Amino acid sequence: MTYLRPNFRHPDSPTNRLGYTRQHYEGGLSTLCAGCGHDSISASIIDACFELNIEPHQVAKLSGIGCSSKTPAYFLNGSHSFNSVHGRMPSVATGANLANRDLIYIGVSGDGDSASIGMGQFAHVVRRNLNMSYIVENNGCYGLTKGQDSATSDVGSTSKKGDINMYSPIDLVRVAIEIGATFVGRSFSGDKEQLVPLLKAAISHRGFALLDVVSPCVTFNNHQGSTKSYAHVREMNDAMPVDFVPMRQEITASYDAGTTHEVCMHDGSVVRLHKAAKEYDIEDRQSALQAIADHSKEGRILTGLLFIDRDGEELHDSLGTARRPLNELSEKELCPGSRFLDSINAGLR
Amino acid sequence: MTYLRPNFRHPDSPTNRLGYTRQHYEGGLSTLCAGCGHDSISASIIDACFELNIEPHQVAKLSGIGCSSKTPAYFLNGSHSFNSVHGRMPSVATGANLANRDLIYIGVSGDGDSASIGMGQFAHVVRRNLNMSYIVENNGCYGLTKGQDSATSDVGSTSKKGDINMYSPIDLVRVAIEIGATFVGRSFSGDKEQLVPLLKAAISHRGFALLDVVSPCVTFNNHQGSTKSYAHVREMNDAMPVDFVPMRQEITASYDAGTTHEVCMHDGSVVRLHKAAKEYDIEDRQSALQAIADHSKEGRILTGLLFIDRDGEELHDSLGTARRPLNELSEKELCPGSRFLDSINAGLR
Amino acid sequence: MQSKQAVNDFVIKFANVNGTGSASANGMFAKAIFRMGIPVSPRNIFPSNIQGMPTWYEVRVSEAGYLGRRGGTDIMVCVNPQSMARDVEAVDPGGYFIYDSTKPLDLRLIRDDIHYIGIPLTEICLREYTDARQRLLFKNVIYVGALAALLNIDFEILKNLVGDQFKGKEKLITPNIYALELGHQYAHEHFTCPMSIRLEQGRTVAKHISDFDQILMDGNTAAALGAVYAGATVAAWYPITPSTSVVDAFDKYCRRLRIDPGTGKKNYAIVQAEDELSAMGMVIGANWNGARAFTATSGPGLSLMGEFLGLAYFAEVPAVLIDVQRAGPSTGMPTRTQQSDVLAAAYASHGDTKHVLLFPATPAECFEMTLQSFDLAERLQTPIIIMSDLDLGMNEWMSPPLEFDDSHTYDRGKVLSHDDLEGMSERFGRYLDSDGDGIPYRTYPGAHPDKGAYFTRGSSKDEYAAYTEDGQAYVRNMDRLLKKFETAKTLVPEAKTKQASKATEYGVMFFGTTASPSYEAVEILEAEGIALDTCRIRAFPFNTEVEEFIRDHERIFTIEQNRDGQMRRLLINETGVRAKSKLVPVLEYDGLPITARKIAATMRSYILESNVTSLADRQPVEELTS
Amino acid sequence: MQSKQAVNDFVIKFANVNGTGSASANGMFAKAIFRMGIPVSPRNIFPSNIQGMPTWYEVRVSEAGYLGRRGGTDIMVCVNPQSMARDVEAVDPGGYFIYDSTKPLDLRLIRDDIHYIGIPLTEICLREYTDARQRLLFKNVIYVGALAALLNIDFEILKNLVGDQFKGKEKLITPNIYALELGHQYAHEHFTCPMSIRLEQGRTVAKHISDFDQILMDGNTAAALGAVYAGATVAAWYPITPSTSVVDAFDKYCRRLRIDPGTGKKNYAIVQAEDELSAMGMVIGANWNGARAFTATSGPGLSLMGEFLGLAYFAEVPAVLIDVQRAGPSTGMPTRTQQSDVLAAAYASHGDTKHVLLFPATPAECFEMTLQSFDLAERLQTPIIIMSDLDLGMNEWMSPPLEFDDSHTYDRGKVLSHDDLEGMSERFGRYLDSDGDGIPYRTYPGAHPDKGAYFTRGSSKDEYAAYTEDGQAYVRNMDRLLKKFETAKTLVPEAKTKQASKATEYGVMFFGTTASPSYEAVEILEAEGIALDTCRIRAFPFNTEVEEFIRDHERIFTIEQNRDGQMRRLLINETGVRAKSKLVPVLEYDGLPITARKIAATMRSYILESNVTSLADRQPVEELTS
Ligand SMILES: Cc1ncc(C[n+]2csc(CCOP(=O)(O)OP(=O)(O)O)c2C)c(N)n1
Ligand SMILES: Cc1ncc(C[n+]2csc(CCOP(=O)(O)OP(=O)(O)O)c2C)c(N)n1
Ligand code: SF4
Ligand code: SF4
Ligand SMILES: [Mg+2]
Ligand SMILES: [Mg+2]
């Protein structure tokens, strides 16, 4: 059960260009465990949408099943939401997007939901470059079923029971880059500074944007020996800082070209990466894979915007669908009428 | 319906160490289209098993659904075979292997069977490093359902209808290397010289051995514009020669160490790669991915043994199962008997 | 030996090798008879294989206009050595066996009760053509030419058909006509034409066909057209025989009708999903978002869609699924027909679920019911499953022309628009039963800035779509879903019942492709003085006609193409009347469409027996069922 | 106000917040009563959530030994402010409301027909403990201590339980006992103990329990033990509530029993699959290869396993599936109980399929039936589905001790060994019905160098496992499968029937967890002079007892925990007798186990009415069903 927050609003709480306060982007009260990484991600999504001046009703939220997949109930109350079945959110999102290409699609999934039961659908939604933001709240375990290892659990990571995982992990980030994703980032639920701009960039990206966000499960996978614990991730996180400059806002402070690298997105907004971060060409798949591998060899976790292909064709481009949403077409436009049927009949005589 | 061949046998047809002729390794008469690449692969499997002196009944054949998945009926009549359901062979193979680790498991699948409906199970059988040879007979289309594009179809490849594929392909070889496969090769149904030794190596490998064999569909995907046609593959194939020297056979002809590179397999047999081929370290995942990428950038297809990890743990190692096959354990060994049950009851009072 | 005499009433069968181009030649043969104004019903009996295996093409010619299988074979045209032995056996006494006489016939294949007509097809081809492919292809055309002479087919019609067939490839016309003539000539020179079984044009038109304004088309194409006319804009599917041609046809028509002339952009989207789970997920997502979306599949796909069908039922999302049934279980016989998904579809998914099923019996109904299914899906906010089958979907059927009433308007169901929401004072309750029909109101995502947003989920919810584990809220919701299913009874197509000429305690029930042979069987028995009322079921949930029909008869034969009498079970379960002791199963499940002869024979023997022992003492005899 | 008097016969309910450690304290409370020799049945009513949501723990104390839910609440122990309003309402008049009185009670929560007992739990904890976690945890232990005084629980027993619970963590024992004493003391100082509802040790033992040699255990653990004793070596699964603890327990016991002392290697394999499709695939592969393998799941998993179940049925591969049912459809209410997968399981998958189901009613039966299911699966070469549910699987039940006869030997079914094959002169036919029972012989891969190899497939095959599209071969195979299902009737556990003390035309049928409350309801009515015979169904296909029971009664109440009366439908369909007009559905589907009171009330009113209108004129009244 999700209670609504008391609708008290502080008189001078800041508003965005649409005149909405941050509160306007909130959802029901979370029923997750206190300290769950997922709640921090929900908060970041709220900030990102607030700052991007998005109309909540222009967003459709989709998820599978899991603690992570519950979170769409905890942000953007003003948006429609579809909490589907376990591991199959990508197909539901695909259908929804086909019906109306004009909405903003935010998918929330878990590592079990996407890398275990959902592996097949995940691979194929990437392949189709569906225009959506796909957020994996990655805690290396099945939270809602009480902590079993998921497919993203690292070799040698120990479960709460103390068992050591022996299977090589599926890194959704690498697989996505492999299969043709056009925007791939990794972040940490505890790093709002990086996560919020990344979310904004993902939402602004035209095509499939994957964000794999390490999000510790405080109840089942936050212990010593877990590579998905707050402590471990904080220690091992090699975070590449990310700035996001929305389209309309002209760039004020001039940066020394030497220290920053700017990626201009399809809609004109800009992702600014700091030199420190720009250690490889994030527009080349192989070097992205190489960089990720180099870090993980040292047991480090490289986070930030890891790869981007700015002009990949999204599904509607590949299909050549009309600009106008299919769900807006009227009977008049769709139904050929009896005249055509006569010609059909004629052809069959 | 598969007719059995007339049992005529040429008196002086050669026999292997077990005294069997090649005929002993054949199967029913193929019902595939004349010229189908899959039939050549079946022939190579027959050769490989004949030359490896395998006891047919020590082999279990598994497949999904498709023209490719029919082929187990066309080789090794002396083996048990399980033609399961579409895209789910990996799970059936996993169960079979768990029950009896002593058999040789040969899985045959298609690109649709493995990369489309089977993507999830494929990824996870790789991850578990199941001890089996997994052969994908890759024709870039759904043969049995009359030629629709599959997920391995290349961008820009045209279907027989003339439609151009717009989706980025899933390269099972890359995905497998990504997810932790321990033996990955690619070959061409038309290149017996390379395929047979590769098959022998795959079968001798301890762990999951993937062979992605491009195998043209003469009926639906062998036309101009298809990147899976005989003509195209012949032209674009960068084949790395492979020799396989079985364990027992000591290496006779001495090679100039400079021109060859030898990989010693777990069971003592040796895969010999020619210098020309050894353009990168096939025991390093990143460089394997790099090499494949470099070739495909030029539209070339790199074939041969692409990656090997000789001492990865196979599923039984990870699980720590006993040496003796589980299906051999007797009731005496398995059933705790009433005494133990009494202690259980006692604990519940 | 006396030879069978028949005019416009016989069964001819072609035995070919698949992948040798026989299909088009055979199709031309059937079409020619059709164009002569003589009722014809062709059936492809093909293997699950692409090339080189035996395949048959059975054509029934029936002046009376019977379109179901009759049973038996009067003429066998055998051009496949592989199956020759079987094929000779299959010919009825007095019938004809037409074969390639290039090689002399194996003596063991000689029967003294049938006629043999040898045509040296291979020899002629070797003489006439050099190219191997031509030799293969024209062989088929040549025997069609010969049959034209033997059966008295109007040769002009054949020639025109060649013309139609090769529109665009004109240079192929002459050689094909030449091949026809080769066969035609040979037959005329060597045999008395026409033979005792033959065609005659312009006789009284079939009593089942008011006037001969008929078309010849397959059910899958008709269903696809239905989807086009219903305004379906999204199709998500995964290839599987025998449903593949539904989406192929949808694609074909959309390319003609749905491309924006200005931009060249598509007003539709077809996605080949990675599997059936995904296909159904896409259909659900698209419908949820206000587009009309559908998928087509067969048995294995239906099984895989179970979880999603349960979600759509419980979350109340419209969806249209065309199940073109084939012989199960599991992979079964993929190229054989059956009606064996009835229970699996009606009760698909775990938990308490029931699904609306439609049972088309003709291409025209495939069109109408698919058209209607989208209205039903959106009105009822639930999946609608159209239960077609391989026989109906992939074979060409004579059918009245497709009709569409231009005054038709879509029923998009209870959807609150921006303005509706704007005008609403009360709080929007997605799952409120405001109208007492069990059907709640929905909104599309993005409909309104601050009203109407709700949370769709497969878990338990209250009237306002809020997650709840409260037992009473759950029960209210489940009971409303039952009420909605009751409402469905008033919306789905009613059953078609027909009274016999005289009062009778016997009835027959059937659905889909068992209809034609059942009607024929009923007439066969009627001629013998045995009267049977008929009821053709067209939808589940069953509406009142069905219950009344069962109530009003003592014994009712239920004709089905499955082993377990699945429709009979559904009738027993889902009607309020006593049925079990009344419903006598008549089943065929060998993968071929049931024949009129079989149905008639089964009912006849049961009824004649019953005249001895009184009905009351008899239970439905399961043994009756083959 | 007069207060309820009760000795060893009452219902007490705890209202907690989940994830606060209340479960173990509450469990200790129930176990203590059990150890006093007083029949008890605890039930966890928990949310689908990990922490912070309301959760309840209902304990029924019944000297008579009734283990089903009775209905009503005599004592409510409420330590969750969130749910306090609801909880006050739930108390029966004359009952007790025990709460944390640290903060004064909201006046709106005061009823004048119940007693209030306030214990300042938070205050005590604040005073006694500094650590926040301790304050949270010991609060639970303190109220248990208080209840010991109020209800007259033997304090020594409680102390011993603490000892057992913290074996290994001894330093936790003293503080826990201290916490118990805090509560105990407080109650003694402030209230007259014991209160009017209380426990008394050593009274005559429950009439349903010959002697009090009982154990307290949950069904999932018992099922896991059954698998261990059956010699299952492979378990493949995917986590899902409420089935997860089956494999957890299997794992636990295997770690104890199946590790080779010498090598430390495992004589078993447990694989967490990527989903349920895969889990079932692994089970099929392992069984095909001669190992005993099983999986456990719940509704959504069952739906996903449909295609594979059809394969196993048609290809005839053994498989054991434990379906721990929860409230559907779709995600439904994952932590609530139901028996709503009956139809989905019986007819799982497309095409003509039927599956063998077992219905355990107690932990002892979970053990026995799981043990037996592997014999059945291998004997019948088909999937066996054990239909447990959340109530049985996850709650602790009093049960007679588990029994195992050491003379028991596994029935591995018809498997030809190397020597069998060696000795065979005739050709091996995998699907030959050599014994006339519909069950063919199988071989394991690798059995013999040149005999017995065959091709397993989901497509149509002949007796020698060769692929065929021949209709007759297909029909022979399908008919043999039916015959095999007939054979199954003779092998599955028979139904348990019980005659009332006097002859009656009324009967009651139930299965699984509806058994206990049904037996109780029957006794309630018996005391009122209403006689009912009972029949507990234990398996599908139904054996003769079931048919006879239906034949021999005019009206039979079918007690089920689902909306659609699924077992009733299955009975109507799958028995040869008239049933529809006889079977009166009594349904509960709000997710909580049906209560004896509800069953009794429903049957009573129906029967009393019937005494007015004669039965003959009455149809089963669906409205009876809540
Ligand atoms: C078909 C199906 N199988 C299993 C389940 C049970 N289940 C619910 S959530 C979940 C795993 C969730 O893990 P993840 O996606 O990582 O989410 P998290 O809870 O960790 O955020 C499982 C197995 C289900 N709901 N449906
Ligand atoms: C669940 C299910 N869906 C669809 C099908 C139909 N089908 C049979 S084979 C096949 C694709 C085969 O393609 P591939 O695996 O590449 O094998 P190929 O025929 O190309 O060798 C499909 C879709 C099926 N048998 N089962
Ligand atoms: S169980 Fe883990 S993932 Fe789930 S809510 Fe709690 S902390 Fe978060
Ligand atoms: S259709 Fe293609 S894949 Fe299938 S048998 Fe023919 S050539 Fe081979
Ligand atoms: Mg997780
Ligand atoms: Mg293929």
Side-chain angles (χ1 to χ4, degrees), chain C residues 502 508 519-532 557 596 599-605 607:
Chain C
K502 63 174 194 239
V508 194
Y519 281 125
E520 180 177 358
V522 167
E523 292 183 13
I524 292 171
L525 295 184
E526 193 171 38
E528 303 172 9
I530 302 175
L532 292 144
F557 300 95
I599 298 170
T602 314
M603 297 195 298
R604 181 189 298 113
S605 64
I607 291 169

Side-chain angles (χ1 to χ4, degrees), chain C residues 564-579:
Chain C
D564 293 341
Q566 297 191 22
M567 177 62 81
R568 176 174 177 267
R569 290 177 197 279
L570 201 61
L571 285 165
I572 292 169
N573 258 331
E574 303 285 346
T575 57
V577 296
R578 181 171 67 84

Side-chain angles (χ1 to χ4, degrees), chain A residues 115 124 168 174 178-179 286, chain B residues 115 124 168 174 178-179 286:
Chain A
H124 284 270
S168 70
R174 295 187 63 94
E178 209 35 89
I179 293 177
Q286 272 308 126
Chain B
H124 285 270
S168 69
R174 294 187 62 94
E178 207 39 83
I179 294 177
Q286 271 309 126

Side-chain angles (χ1 to χ4, degrees), chain B residues 43-229:
Chain B
S44 296
I45 293 173
I46 291 171
D47 289 348
C49 294
F50 170 70
E51 293 168 18
L52 278 178
N53 302 292
I54 288 171
E55 283 280 8
H57 73 291
Q58 289 305 310
V59 176
K61 305 173 287 181
L62 300 116
S63 64
I65 298 286
C67 295
S68 34
S69 294
K70 284 181 179 183
T71 61
Y74 314 140
F75 59 85
L76 297 187
N77 260 340
S79 312
H80 274 66
S81 191
F82 198 145
N83 181 197
S84 65
V85 289
H86 192 33
R88 320 295 177 187
M89 175 264 278
S91 59
V92 176
T94 303
N97 187 308
L98 289 173
N100 182 356
R101 59 187 298 172
D102 282 354
L103 297 181
I104 294 166
Y105 295 90
I106 299 180
V108 178
S109 179
D111 44 324
D113 198 59
S114 285
S116 295
I117 192 171
M119 189 63 207
Q121 292 212 348
F122 175 80
H124 285 270
V125 72
V126 167
R127 201 181 150 242
R128 297 188 181 102
N129 197 22
L130 187 71
N131 186 14
M132 78 179 290
S133 306
Y134 192 105
I135 300 155
V136 177
E137 304 189 343
N138 185 352
N139 54 18
C141 73
Y142 293 177
L144 193 54
T145 51
K146 299 186 174 290
Q148 301 84 0
D149 285 348
S150 82
T152 67
S153 168
D154 299 298
V155 179
S157 183
T158 58
S159 76
K160 205 171 183 183
K161 264 208 246 159
D163 299 338
I164 300 169
N165 172 48
M166 308 291 257
Y167 304 111
S168 69
I170 293 177
D171 182 346
L172 293 172
V173 157
R174 294 187 62 94
V175 171
I177 293 174
E178 207 39 83
I179 294 177
T182 51
F183 180 112
V184 181
R186 187 170 353 238
S187 191
F188 171 41
S189 64
D191 183 357
K192 243 168 172 304
E193 277 53 46
Q194 185 195 52
L195 181 53
V196 174
L198 262 181
L199 279 163
K200 292 198 235 169
I203 293 170
S204 311
H205 175 69
R206 189 167 172 288
F208 188 82
L210 169 69
L211 285 186
D212 176 54
V213 186
V214 184
S215 174
C217 169
V218 294
T219 305
F220 298 113
N221 202 18
N222 196 32
H223 47 273
Q224 261 282 6
S226 158
T227 58
K228 294 282 192 295
S229 67

Side-chain angles (χ1 to χ4, degrees), chain C residues 429-571:
Chain C
R430 167 67 177 101
Y431 296 105
L432 279 171
D433 184 9
S434 323
D435 305 335
D437 56 4
I439 306 173
Y441 286 80
R442 53 196 284 247
T443 59
Y444 298 153
H448 189 284
D450 43 50
K451 285 175 162 181
Y454 70 96
F455 207 91
T456 305
R457 51 159 61 85
S459 48
S460 183
K461 56 225 157 267
D462 65 15
E463 285 77 358
Y464 295 90
Y467 176 75
T468 180
E469 290 171 358
D470 170 51
Q472 293 327 305
Y474 169 86
V475 167
R476 285 198 305 277
N477 186 56
M478 289 300 282
D479 291 347
R480 183 179 53 73
L481 286 169
L482 263 192
K483 191 197 279 178
K484 187 168 83 166
F485 208 69
E486 281 303 308
T487 303
K489 291 184 180 175
T490 65
L491 300 175
V492 297
E494 76 297 341
K496 294 250 184 256
T497 60
K498 203 148 134 295
Q499 296 263 333
S501 47
K502 63 174 194 239
T504 171
E505 61 187 342
Y506 286 103
V508 194
M509 290 183 125
F510 39 79
F511 59 101
T513 48
T514 52
S516 305
S518 298
Y519 281 125
E520 180 177 358
V522 167
E523 292 183 13
I524 292 171
L525 295 184
E526 193 171 38
E528 303 172 9
I530 302 175
L532 292 144
D533 298 334
T534 61
C535 174
R536 179 160 74 88
I537 297 163
R538 301 203 303 157
F540 173 73
F542 304 115
N543 30 35
T544 47
E545 292 83 357
V546 175
E547 293 205 340
E548 281 161 11
F549 189 86
I550 296 174
R551 194 172 355 81
D552 299 347
H553 295 85
E554 254 325 295
R555 280 292 182 279
I556 302 145
F557 300 95
T558 49
I559 321 295
E560 315 186 43
Q561 295 181 154
N562 58 59
R563 181 194 67 181
D564 293 341
Q566 297 191 22
M567 177 62 81
R568 176 174 177 267
R569 290 177 197 279
L570 201 61
L571 285 165

Side-chain angles (χ1 to χ4, degrees), chain C residues 328 474 479 572-573 575 580 589, chain D residues 328 474 479 572-573 580 589:
Chain C
Y474 169 86
D479 291 347
I572 292 169
N573 258 331
T575 57
K580 193 171 179 175
Y589 49 99
Chain D
Y474 170 86
D479 291 347
I572 293 169
N573 257 332
K580 193 173 183 175
Y589 48 99

Side-chain angles (χ1 to χ4, degrees), chain D residues 15-61:
Chain D
N16 304 89
V17 176
N18 77 329
T20 59
S22 57
S24 69
N26 296 343
M28 192 161 64
F29 168 84
K31 191 75 179 262
I33 299 176
F34 170 74
R35 287 218 178 151
M36 289 171 70
I38 302 166
V40 67
S41 53
R43 284 186 172 78
N44 223 324
I45 304 165
F46 59 103
S48 174
N49 163 282
I50 302 301
Q51 186 196 91
M53 302 295 287
T55 185
W56 291 270
Y57 187 74
E58 182 180 288
V59 179
R60 178 179 187 182
V61 177

